[in-house]
Amino acid sequence: MKKKILYVEDDPNLAFATKDNLEAYDYEVVHASDGAKALVIIEKEHFDICVLDVMLPKMDGFTLAENIRKSDKQVPILFLTARALQEDKIKGFELGADDYVTKPFSIQELMLRIEVILRRNNSGKPTSVQPKTNTVGKYNFDFTKLTLAINDSLQTLTFREAEVLKYLSERPDQVIRRDELLKAIWGDDDYFMGRSLDVFISRLRKYLSADPAIRIDNVHGVGFRMTF
């Protein structure tokens, strides 16, 4: 079955060329020219990944992503932008983005990024023989459902948040090098990915704060260590 992409881009020439190339690689592509139209579409259809331009009419890509995340924590989001500002990239990752491609980009680069995200999204789902839940301190962590539960409180995670938590919680009391974690989750260890990792670590600490025995410590100049 073809993987289905929601592609949101207001430049008609770029949209036509990119959609045509993605379809040539056997993807099903649904295109929207502004954020408002895209939001209507995604409320009615299921997609395997959303590829969003940041600078969109009617509703910008960040606002669109925020609205998507309210109803769907799992669908991967890849941002396209002509702006290479560090603040934009960090904001995108804070909203739960999986990756970022700066314009102008080659179709080969975009294809590679999409393929990596989809492959990781698929391979990261536990099989039927794997336990659905793991205990992290006093929490029940369900990687399949992307949930973290304690008592009557349930926190829904993004796929990236769940990946980071899974990687750390499966290696308790070990010092995990920053570059190791970045390559395992994002496949890259560049500066912007490193900044985004800090965002995810901060969010996980907040989610896990109901159990004071759980710690994710910074090991200066090296990486992180999770204890529980």
Side-chain angles (χ1 to χ4, degrees):
M1 184 179 294
K2 291 183 178 181
K3 295 293 185 180
K4 192 172 181 180
I5 299 173
L6 175 63
Y7 173 44
V8 191
E9 170 60 63
D10 62 318
D11 182 324
N13 295 323
L14 177 59
F16 176 83
T18 303
K19 182 175 184 289
D20 187 59
N21 276 282
L22 290 172
E23 289 174 338
Y25 279 91
D26 209 31
Y27 287 105
E28 180 182 350
V29 183
V30 176
H31 171 249
S33 57
D34 64 63
K37 289 178 182 176
L39 188 59
V40 172
I41 291 170
I42 201 165
E43 287 174 349
K44 297 177 180 179
E45 301 181 42
H46 168 77
F47 293 91
D48 295 291
I49 186 170
C50 298
V51 179
L52 314 178
D53 187 26
V54 170
M55 302 297 290
L56 292 169
K58 298 186 179 179
M59 180 186 296
D60 65 74
F62 291 142
T63 304
L64 175 58
E66 194 169 11
N67 278 281
I68 291 171
R69 281 286 175 254
K70 288 177 182 177
S71 59
D72 191 336
K73 295 283 188 179
Q74 300 186 39
V75 64
I77 295 175
L78 186 153
F79 278 118
L80 304 174
T81 181
R83 305 192 306 182
L85 294 177
Q86 172 187 330
E87 291 78 9
D88 281 356
K89 294 192 174 186
I90 299 303
K91 183 175 181 179
F93 287 122
E94 286 176 338
L95 291 171
D98 291 82
D99 208 347
Y100 224 108
V101 176
T102 304
K103 297 177 179 177
F105 56 84
S106 68
I107 193 64
Q108 289 81 10
E109 178 189 6
L110 180 60
M111 284 297 310
L112 178 61
R113 302 271 187 157
I114 290 173
E115 288 172 2
V116 167
I117 291 171
L118 291 177
R119 186 165 60 246
R120 184 176 290 121
N121 222 33
N122 186 58
S123 65
K125 296 176 181 178
T127 66
S128 59
V129 298
Q130 292 176 305
K132 288 186 176 181
T133 60
N134 293 317
T135 300
V136 180
K138 296 179 181 179
Y139 287 84
N140 287 321
F141 171 41
D142 191 325
F143 185 70
T144 308
K145 296 180 180 179
L146 304 180
T147 57
L148 192 60
I150 183 170
N151 300 325
D152 296 325
S153 177
L154 183 70
Q155 174 68 49
T156 302
L157 308 174
T158 67
F159 186 72
R160 278 285 186 264
E161 289 169 347
E163 280 192 309
V164 174
L165 179 56
K166 182 175 185 288
Y167 197 91
L168 292 175
S169 64
E170 288 178 345
R171 299 160 178 83
D173 303 314
Q174 296 182 34
V175 175
I176 307 300
R177 295 184 60 86
R178 174 180 287 266
D179 59 350
E180 173 191 341
L181 185 54
L182 286 168
K183 288 177 181 177
I185 306 301
W186 279 276
D188 198 349
D189 63 347
D190 71 10
Y191 174 78
F192 292 114
M193 296 302 180
R195 288 294 304 275
S196 69
L197 175 58
D198 293 332
V199 170
F200 284 99
I201 294 293
S202 295
R203 284 213 296 260
L204 289 176
R205 286 174 177 147
K206 180 180 178 181
Y207 297 157
L208 296 164
S209 61
D211 183 352
I214 300 175
R215 296 178 57 89
I216 304 177
D217 294 316
N218 290 324
V219 180
H220 183 68
V222 182
F224 305 95
R225 178 174 51 228
M226 185 173 193
T227 56
F228 54 89

